C-alpha cells in the first residue's frame, strides 16, 4: 500500500499493509465505471449487487431530486412521511402472504439484527424466556455487526478472531440431503425449546460462498419450523429484488417466512436503506399495555425520505421493463460462457442461478494478483475466498456480459 490517497482511508475487508492500491472512480453510467484516469470498466458485480437497474438511472435520479428539495431527512420517531408510507405499502403489496409490517433501517446487517431481536422478543413477550437462540447454517453470511457475526459460518474466515467472544448460537449443516434432514429434525427435537428462529438466505447463500440449494429445502424448513413452534427468517438482502430470477427468492418455493430482510438492491444501488418486514402475528406479539413489550430500536436515519424515494422509484422500474426475461437471458449466457472453465484442474465448480454466476477454484493462491489480471481486461470483478463471481445489473448488454465472462475465462486459462 502506498500513495497519499490512502493516508486517511481504512478500506473494508482489506489488510491495509499488503493490499493493492485501490482504483479511483470518477463517474458511473449504466453498467460502466469510469476511473479518474479515463479508463472505463464494465462492472460485473453491480456494486455488491445493489445497482440492479444499472447506475445513474434517470428515473431514480428524478425522484431523488424532487424529494431532496421537499425534505431530505426527518426523524422517524413520532413523525412519519409520505415516502415511507408509500414504500411500506408497496413492499406489502409485493411480498407474499401477510408480510406487511415494515421496520426500516439503513443497512443489511442491522436489518438482520432487528429480525433476530424481533424473533427473540416475540417469545419473551409471551413469557417463553428460554427461546433466545437463533439457528443458522454453515455457508451462511448475515453481516458484520456483533449479533450477525454470531450467526455467520464460523469457519468462513472473516470472523474467526471473534470466536469465543460472540454470543453462542446454533450453527449446523444445511439439510440438503435426506440424511441431513433426519439429523436436522433430531437436532430440533433436542433444542427446539431454546430456539427462537431459523435464519437462512433462501436459494443462494451469498457472501459465504455463493452456495445454491433447491426451493424444496425452504419448504422443508417451513414445515419443521411450524411443527416445532419456531419462527422462520429469510435473509433476502442478497437474493431479494430479482437476483435469483423471481422478485423474491421465497416466491420460487411458495413459502412465506415469518420475517424477511431486504437491502442491497432495495434502493436501486443509490442510497443506504434496509427493511425488516414481519407478518401480522409477529407484529401483534408486541402489542401490549406494557411499554417494554414494544420494539425498542430506532436507527437515526431509519426511513430516510431520500432513500425511500429511491426505493419507490426502483420498485416502479421493475414494472417498466422485462427484467425477468433479462435475468433469464443473463443466466443462460453465463451458463454457456463460463462452462468451459470446468476443463481446468484448478476449477472445483461452475454454477449459475439467475443473475449469479460463480467459478469456484480449489484455491486462490494470490488474490491480489488475480484482481490485477482481471483489471487488465477492463472489468471490475472482485473475487473472494476461493470464488470468482458475477452479479451484473439486469440491464447489462450481451456484449458487456461476454466481456466479463471472457475476462474470467482468459485469466484462468492464460494467467
Amino acid at each position: 500500500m502506498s500513495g497519499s490517497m490512502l493516508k486517511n482511508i481504512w478500506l473494508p475487508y482489506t489488510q491495509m499493509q499488503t493490499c493493492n492500491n485501490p482504483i479511483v472512480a470518477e463517474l458511473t453510467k449504466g453498467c460502466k465505471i469510469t476511473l479518474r484516469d479515463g479508463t472505463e470498466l464494465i462492472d460485473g458485480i453491480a456494486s455488491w449487487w445493489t445497482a440492479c437497474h444499472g447506475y445513474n438511472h434517470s428515473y431514480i435520479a428524478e425522484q431523488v431530486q424532487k424529494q431532496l428539495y421537499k425534505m431530505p431527512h426527518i426523524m422517524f420517531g413520532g413523525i412519519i412521511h409520505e415516502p415511507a408510507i408509500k414504500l411500506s405499502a408497496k413492499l406489502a403489496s409485493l411480498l407474499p402472504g401477510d408480510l406487511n409490517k415494515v421496520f426500516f433501517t439503513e443497512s443489511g446487517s442491522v436489518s438482520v439484527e432487528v429480525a433476530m431481536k424481533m424473533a427473540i422478543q416475540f417469545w419473551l413477550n409471551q413469557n417463553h424466556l428460554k427461546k433466545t437462540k437463533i439457528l443458522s447454517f454453515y455457508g451462511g453470511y448475515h453481516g458484520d455487526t456483533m449479533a450477525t457475526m454470531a450467526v455467520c459460518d464460523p469457519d468462513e474466515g472473516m470472523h474467526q478472531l471473534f470466536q469465543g467472544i460472540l454470543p453462542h448460537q446454533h450453527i449446523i449443516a444445511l439439510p440438503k440431503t435426506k440424511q441431513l434432514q433426519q439429523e436436522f429434525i433430531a437436532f430440533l427435537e433436542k433444542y427446539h425449546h431454546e430456539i427462537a428462529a431459523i435464519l437462512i438466505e433462501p436459494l443462494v447463500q451469498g457472501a459465504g460462498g455463493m452456495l445454491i440449494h433447491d426451493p424444496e429445502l425452504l419448504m422443508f424448513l417451513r414445515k419443521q419450523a411450524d411443527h416445532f413452534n419456531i419462527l422462520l427468517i429469510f435473509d433476502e438482502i442478497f437474493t431479494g429484488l430479482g437476483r435469483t430470477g423471481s422478485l423474491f427468492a421465497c416466491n420460487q418455493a411458495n413459502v412465506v417466512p415469518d420475517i424477511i430482510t431486504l437491502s442491497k438492491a432495495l434502493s436501486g444501488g443509490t442510497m443506504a436503506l434496509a427493511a425488516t418486514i414481519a407478518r401480522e402475528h409477529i407484529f401483534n406479539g408486541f402489542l401490549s399495555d406494557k411499554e417494554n413489550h414494544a420494539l425498542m430500536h430506532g436507527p437515526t436515519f431509519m426511513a430516510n425520505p431520500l432513500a425511500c424515494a429511491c426505493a419507490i422509484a426502483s420498485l416502479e422500474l421493475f414494472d417498466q421493463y422485462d427484467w425477468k426475461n433479462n435475468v433469464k437471458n443473463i443466466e443462460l449466457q453465463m451458463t454457456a460462457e463460463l462452462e468451459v472453465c470446468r476443463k481446468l484442474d484448478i476449477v472445483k465448480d461452475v454454477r449459475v442461478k439467475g443473475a449469479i454466476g460463480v467459478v469456484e477454484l480449489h484455491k486462490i493462491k494470490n488474490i491480489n494478483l488475480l484482481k490485477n489480471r482481471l483489471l487488465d481486461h477492463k472489468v471490475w470483478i472482485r473475487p473472494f475466498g476461493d470464488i470468482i463471481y458475477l452479479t451484473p445489473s439486469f440491464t447489462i448488454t450481451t456484449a458487456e456480459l461476454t466481456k466479463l465472462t471472457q475476462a474470467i475465462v482468459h485469466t484462468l486459462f492464460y494467467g
Side-chain angles (χ1 to χ4, degrees):
M1 182 189 74
S2 63
S4 59
M5 66 179 179
L6 281 178
K7 181 179 178 181
N8 305 114
I9 289 177
W10 196 334
L11 294 170
Y13 308 120
T14 300
Q15 175 46 258
M16 297 297 291
Q17 182 167 294
T18 59
C19 69
N20 295 339
N21 278 328
I23 56 178
V24 182
E26 191 73 20
L27 58 90
T28 55
K29 186 67 177 176
C31 295
K32 295 179 179 178
I33 304 168
T34 302
L35 305 185
R36 179 185 288 177
D37 64 4
T39 301
E40 195 173 76
L41 306 178
I42 296 174
D43 187 353
I45 55 177
S47 278
W48 276 330
W49 331 314
T50 61
C52 54
H53 310 298
Y55 291 114
N56 302 43
H57 198 287
S58 59
Y59 183 66
I60 297 177
E62 288 168 7
Q63 300 308 306
V64 171
Q65 189 173 42
K66 289 178 184 178
Q67 186 61 44
L68 178 63
Y69 289 104
K70 289 177 65 176
M71 181 175 60
H73 182 64
I74 191 166
M75 66 181 289
F76 208 59
I79 303 176
I80 60 174
H81 49 78
E82 187 61 29
I85 296 168
K86 188 174 180 180
L87 176 56
S88 58
K90 182 70 171 176
L91 288 171
S93 71
L94 293 173
L95 285 161
D98 61 341
L99 284 163
N100 57 26
K101 300 298 184 181
V102 184
F103 190 94
F104 291 110
T105 54
E106 320 103 307
S107 77
S109 294
V110 175
S111 73
V112 176
E113 292 232 4
V114 170
M116 294 165 63
K117 191 172 180 178
M118 279 182 182
I120 293 169
Q121 189 176 343
F122 173 80
W123 296 114
L124 293 177
N125 284 357
Q126 298 180 61
N127 208 33
H128 291 285
L129 305 183
K130 293 183 179 180
K131 291 177 78 70
T132 59
K133 298 292 186 183
I134 304 295
L135 172 60
S136 60
F137 301 100
Y138 289 111
Y141 171 82
H142 301 284
D144 299 330
T145 51
M146 292 300 284
T148 57
M149 284 195 296
V151 291
C152 293
D153 186 328
D155 300 322
E156 185 272 333
M158 286 194 292
H159 305 141
Q160 284 182 340
L161 286 176
F162 292 86
Q163 288 187 29
I165 300 171
L166 298 171
H168 174 263
Q169 303 288 5
H170 294 301
I171 304 175
I172 64 176
L174 195 65
K176 297 173 69 172
T177 66
K178 291 294 184 183
Q179 176 63 35
L180 288 173
Q181 288 180 3
Q182 291 174 4
E183 293 175 9
F184 181 78
I185 292 171
F187 184 90
L188 291 186
E189 286 174 344
K190 184 176 182 180
Y191 293 107
H192 68 91
H193 64 282
E194 65 181 49
I195 298 174
I198 299 167
L199 171 63
I200 187 172
E201 300 158 273
L203 298 188
V204 185
Q205 293 175 294
M210 300 290 175
L211 305 170
I212 300 169
H213 55 265
D214 294 329
E216 288 75 19
L217 174 60
L218 305 179
M219 299 167 66
F220 169 79
L221 293 179
R222 177 73 274 177
K223 180 180 179 180
Q224 300 311 319
D226 291 341
H227 178 74
F228 286 101
N229 201 26
I230 297 170
L231 302 183
L232 182 61
I233 303 171
F234 281 179
D235 176 351
E236 291 227 29
I237 291 164
F238 173 48
T239 60
L241 288 310
R243 182 56 59 183
T244 65
S246 52
L247 193 59
F248 305 103
C250 61
N251 296 145
Q252 296 183 39
N254 197 27
V255 167
V256 181
D258 298 295
I259 303 171
I260 193 169
T261 63
L262 303 172
S263 189
K264 297 291 188 186
L266 180 58
S267 71
T270 307
M271 295 193 70
L273 184 66
T276 305
I277 305 103
R279 294 176 66 181
E280 286 276 357
H281 69 283
I282 303 300
F283 178 80
N284 291 340
F286 288 76
L287 303 180
S288 170
D289 293 331
K290 299 179 179 179
E291 285 296 320
N292 67 350
H293 280 193
L295 179 60
M296 293 299 182
H297 204 95
T300 302
F301 281 89
M302 71 177 294
N304 170 257
L306 277 176
C308 288
C310 290
I312 294 165
S314 180
L315 291 175
E316 289 174 345
L317 284 175
F318 281 101
D319 296 325
Q320 296 179 19
Y321 71 103
D322 193 355
W323 65 271
K324 284 187 178 180
N325 188 59
N326 286 13
V327 171
K328 185 62 178 177
N329 288 334
I330 289 168
E331 181 179 55
L332 292 172
Q333 186 177 345
M334 288 195 298
T335 299
E337 295 180 357
L338 293 176
E339 184 63 23
V340 67
C341 295
R342 289 188 190 275
K343 296 179 180 180
L344 293 169
D345 291 339
I346 61 171
V347 172
K348 182 178 180 180
D349 190 27
V350 177
R351 50 188 180 269
V352 178
K353 175 69 176 177
I356 306 164
V358 181
V359 178
E360 182 179 2
L361 308 185
H362 290 286
K363 185 173 182 60
I364 294 178
K365 296 179 180 179
N366 188 331
I367 199 161
N368 286 334
L369 178 62
L370 177 58
K371 290 175 182 177
N372 282 337
R373 291 289 182 265
L374 291 166
L375 273 175
D376 289 341
H377 290 274
K378 303 296 189 294
V379 297
W380 178 237
I381 300 172
R382 186 178 169 86
F384 69 88
D386 292 325
I387 68 170
I388 308 171
Y389 75 95
L390 296 174
T391 51
S393 299
F394 307 155
T395 53
I396 195 166
T397 67
T398 300
E400 288 171 334
L401 185 53
T402 292
K403 187 166 183 179
L404 290 168
T405 59
Q406 292 313 298
I408 293 173
V409 171
H410 192 277
T411 298
L412 292 180
F413 273 86
Y414 305 110

